[in-house]
Amino acid sequence: MAANKARAEKHEADEVLSYMTFMLERASAEDVPVRRQDFARHGKTVPLFRGAADWFDRVNARSRERHVKLQHYIISSGIKEMIEATKIGKKFTKVFASSFAYDANGAAKWPALAINYTTKTQYLFRINKGSLSVHDHGLINDFVPHEDRPMPFSNIVFIGDGDTDIPCMRLVRDQGGHSIAVYQPHSSKKKERAEKLITDKRADVIAPADYSDGGRLDEIVSAIINKVAANSQVRMMVRE
């Protein structure tokens, strides 16, 4: 949004925080309440990519067959209440997303948390260390040996679809995990942008944002699940 970008530049403000504040100001000027339930109502109407509705149950079942414990997370600049209300909102262990503080009537009063493209990486470390509460500043800053962390980066798969995901893609890839860049199906321009992430060593692989059974993305994630299972089996054999 060009107006918000100019506003953020003028005040040297974070664009996400500026947009959330701008939203409340515009609503107030029109005497329109911004309520938690309004975000949730809109979230219920959000269309999903092909195959996404049954993606989670499918890959979860596949993981259980390989004795791999699979968890799903979202790290997004979008509105948390909206994401949680989508058809797949309950499939996630935790949703890290921008959110508002609400009064007793459920009306948004001020931005409580704004997640932008650089702060997204913080939440990868929270997942890595098992520090899932945004209020926990102890464990996230404590030194924890890599081998003692509950979610090693080597087992993390990051699926991103935009420029704001690049820092997370690079971090996961550099730490030995797997970064997948997805793009709008049938868009040659967006496919080219995704391919550049491979060239720039930001992502490991690209795929259309199609989560259907047997599709390229489905096959990639299944292969990674098999790899994690095999690595775990090798480690157990070495310890014997």
Side-chain angles (χ1 to χ4, degrees):
M1 183 177 174
N4 182 62
K5 185 175 181 64
R7 170 192 171 104
E9 289 179 356
K10 176 182 178 180
H11 297 286
E12 295 188 352
D14 174 78
E15 284 191 35
V16 177
L17 192 58
S18 174
Y19 178 74
M20 294 173 74
T21 303
F22 183 59
M23 187 188 305
L24 295 181
E25 290 174 351
R26 285 292 302 273
S28 177
E30 298 293 331
D31 198 26
V32 175
V34 178
R35 299 167 297 182
R36 187 194 303 268
Q37 65 192 58
D38 297 323
F39 288 123
R41 185 181 300 111
H42 182 68
K44 294 179 188 300
T45 69
V46 172
L48 304 177
F49 282 113
R50 182 181 178 185
D54 61 358
W55 158 268
F56 298 91
D57 292 339
R58 191 179 343 115
V59 296
N60 288 346
R62 204 167 290 159
S63 297
R64 285 194 297 271
E65 291 174 359
R66 297 306 311 271
H67 304 290
V68 172
K69 182 180 179 181
L70 183 61
Q71 296 179 334
H72 304 276
Y73 297 86
I74 277 188
I75 305 175
S76 173
S77 297
I79 304 301
K80 179 180 180 181
E81 291 77 13
M82 189 182 302
I83 295 170
E84 290 180 332
T86 64
K87 296 176 182 177
I88 57 175
K90 297 186 183 302
K91 302 294 185 180
F92 299 96
T93 299
K94 184 79 174 182
V95 174
F96 296 111
S98 301
S99 59
F100 290 94
Y102 298 89
D103 64 16
N105 298 315
K109 303 307 292 182
W110 45 273
L113 181 65
I115 297 181
N116 60 34
Y117 71 99
T118 53
T119 59
K120 280 185 175 184
T121 57
Q122 172 199 154
Y123 298 95
L124 283 174
F125 282 106
R126 286 192 176 279
I127 295 167
N128 170 238
K129 288 186 173 183
S131 176
L132 302 185
S133 172
V134 297
H135 306 292
D136 178 9
H137 301 299
L139 179 58
I140 190 62
N141 291 319
D142 288 346
F143 171 74
V144 180
H146 288 283
E147 62 272 16
D148 294 335
R149 298 182 183 186
M151 185 67 70
F153 272 102
S154 58
N155 289 0
I156 292 179
V157 180
F158 186 87
I159 302 175
D161 65 353
D163 292 342
T164 61
D165 293 317
I166 289 176
C168 286
M169 289 184 187
R170 183 61 184 267
L171 172 62
V172 171
R173 187 179 186 277
D174 288 351
Q175 292 290 328
H178 307 82
S179 292
I180 304 173
V182 295
Y183 58 89
Q184 187 79 31
H186 312 301
S187 172
S188 57
K189 182 177 181 180
K190 292 190 176 181
K191 182 179 180 181
E192 288 176 5
R193 290 178 64 183
E195 288 173 338
K196 189 174 186 303
L197 295 176
I198 301 291
T199 304
D200 294 343
K201 301 186 185 304
R202 306 294 181 65
D204 298 295
V205 65
I206 67 171
D210 182 340
Y211 296 79
S212 301
D213 188 12
R216 176 168 170 77
L217 184 58
D218 188 65
E219 291 180 346
I220 292 169
V221 173
S222 294
I224 295 172
I225 291 171
N226 290 338
K227 176 185 176 183
V228 171
N231 288 343
S232 177
Q233 185 176 7
V234 169
R235 286 194 297 271
M236 290 176 64
M237 294 173 66
V238 169
R239 286 197 293 265
E240 291 178 350

